[in-house]
Amino acid sequence: MEALHSATRAALDAAARGVRGANPLVGAAVLWDDGTFTTGYHHGAGTPHAEPEAIRNAAPRSTAGATLVVTLEPCSHTGRTGPCTQAIIDAGIRRVIIASRDPNPSASGGAQILTEAGVEVVFLNDLGQPWAHELATRAHGLNARWFAAVTHDRPFITAKIAQSLDGCVAARDRTSQWITGAESRAHAHLTRARVDAIAVGTGTAHADNPRLTARTETGAGAPQQPIPVVFGTTPLPTDSHLARNPRALTFTDVGAGLRDLHRRGVSHLLIEGGPTLMAHFLQHDLVDELHVYTAPLLLGDGIRSPLSVDTLAHGLRFVPDALPEALGSDTFTRFMKEV
Ligand code: AOF
Ligand code: ZN
């Protein structure tokens, strides 16, 4: 039991090193009968899942007859990668310990498939140990917002804000190019390249005529391009980049649009503004993760998101998800919405 406790903690710590988005944070550990273990984690959308990673990291040692601890129920589907249930069966794993269920209808059901294949499946909460309950709670907490998004049939939503030190996203005359520096913009393009879709409001679509493409450091297009999305009722100028892009989607209703996007396979959506759309998403508790780039600049009575907050207790609280990072003279901080 001591070894299982340590392996579960290690799987959770490994999970936290991953990147959230189209996938939740997931870690796994292969645990042998002698109490030693090796871990693996999911590095982000399109990369192998945690279980095959842990199994691969176990090499050259045989995984036959070993226990696999995983922070999320192994998937049963072929998405961007193959089903983890099959990888586990092929590796000869005898017992799987699961910390949290996968609420994603298209990937769930892995526990049952494993049981039917003769693998012993145990949920951490059913061990009846206080430490197990505590770690199961931690596993759930790690992905609470991701679980909520998939349960509500919408993508996981990241909002990007590029702001001045005093929280303005544009100067009073609405000029906003460029508040943040080149390093911040390059960093933001890496995020663009790993999301499934990027959305702006019609105001921004009119004012900036954006392409919403992901570019690499050389300025070339990234191999995987997100779907451009516009929310709003004002028609786009016919000669704008977005109006001319046959992949671009326009929605007048945010709720219906999010459901439609999710059903089209958009698991991770990036919101890039402007301030009105940002306020709408924030006010409706639709921002799961916040990426804030802050430039060393004061803009005084510039433009902010028109969030309606009447008293301190009604402010929207976020929790830092990682330490702030220096990007040139800017700082980057990632926050998660409090559940
Ligand atoms: C697992 N292990 O490490 C992760 C899982 O598009 P795919 O193939 O990456 O599949 C995405 C879904 O798989 C995701 O929505 C979630 O339900 C699950 N993520 N499952 O067995 C993992 N990251
Ligand atoms: Zn999987």
Side-chain angles (χ1 to χ4, degrees):
M1 211 43 107
E2 197 50 46
L4 181 58
H5 186 180
S6 303
T8 309
R9 248 199 336 246
L12 269 167
D13 290 345
R17 291 203 285 275
V19 185
R20 244 191 237 94
N23 273 276
L25 295 179
V26 190
V30 174
L31 170 66
W32 288 277
D33 287 344
D34 65 1
T36 58
F37 57 82
T38 183
T39 59
Y41 65 96
H42 176 67
H43 292 238
T47 68
H49 285 183
E51 302 89 322
E53 266 302 281
I55 291 167
R56 191 173 65 89
N57 292 341
R61 212 167 155 189
S62 167
T63 51
T67 292
L68 182 81
V69 186
V70 60
T71 62
L72 180 79
E73 178 182 8
C75 71
S76 58
H77 77 312
T78 300
R80 293 166 228 241
T81 69
C84 288
T85 44
Q86 199 52 50
I88 291 167
I89 294 163
D90 293 346
I93 298 288
R94 182 176 55 81
R95 187 170 63 139
V96 176
I97 314 275
I98 301 171
S100 57
R101 280 223 186 250
D102 188 346
N104 181 5
S106 60
S108 64
Q112 194 181 336
I113 288 175
L114 288 169
T115 306
E116 284 164 6
V119 179
E120 185 191 346
V121 175
V122 182
F123 281 88
L124 206 54
N125 260 332
D126 295 336
L127 286 177
Q129 304 266 344
W131 69 261
H133 183 71
E134 185 204 317
L135 294 186
T137 305
R138 224 179 101 193
H140 189 272
L142 204 54
N143 292 311
R145 286 297 300 203
W146 193 93
F147 290 161
V150 77
T151 306
H152 291 135
D153 196 9
R154 66 161 174 86
F156 180 81
I157 300 172
T158 297
K160 184 199 105 172
I161 298 179
Q163 63 169 26
S164 64
L165 272 182
D166 50 352
C168 296
V169 296
R172 193 178 4 169
D173 68 353
R174 303 208 157 257
T175 45
S176 62
Q177 275 181 336
W178 305 95
I179 288 181
T180 50
E183 288 91 340
S184 290
R185 295 203 298 276
H187 186 276
H189 272 281
L190 293 179
T191 305
R192 279 186 168 196
R194 70 178 178 82
V195 301
D196 300 315
I198 306 180
V200 292
T202 38
T204 295
H206 275 263
D208 298 350
N209 188 19
R211 285 191 166 83
L212 302 183
T213 49
R215 287 180 289 278
T216 62
E217 271 158 39
T218 60
Q224 196 86 24
Q225 286 297 333
I227 300 173
V229 176
V230 184
F231 286 109
T233 46
T234 321
L236 292 177
T238 48
D239 58 347
S240 62
H241 293 305
L242 290 174
R244 288 204 307 253
N245 185 338
R247 289 181 76 222
L249 300 171
T250 306
F251 299 105
T252 50
D253 180 80
V254 169
L258 291 176
R259 206 163 32 248
D260 187 328
L261 287 171
H262 197 227
R263 292 181 182 175
R264 287 170 190 258
V266 173
S267 305
H268 189 191
L269 174 68
L270 177 67
I271 306 291
E272 290 215 357
T276 314
L277 187 77
M278 197 63 77
H280 180 95
F281 272 76
L282 286 164
Q283 213 99 58
H284 290 82
D285 196 21
L286 288 170
V287 174
D288 302 306
E289 185 186 65
L290 207 51
H291 285 191
V292 183
Y293 298 88
T294 306
L297 164 78
L298 295 171
L299 288 174
D301 63 346
I303 310 289
R304 292 184 175 78
S305 260
L307 260 185
S308 168
V309 176
D310 53 355
T311 183
L312 186 61
H314 295 162
L316 307 182
R317 289 245 178 232
F318 285 79
V319 282
D321 200 32
L323 290 173
E325 201 180 310
L327 292 173
S329 50
D330 301 337
T331 44
F332 169 72
T333 316
R334 206 177 60 213
F335 299 90
M336 286 299 292
K337 182 71 180 64
E338 268 190 354
V339 185

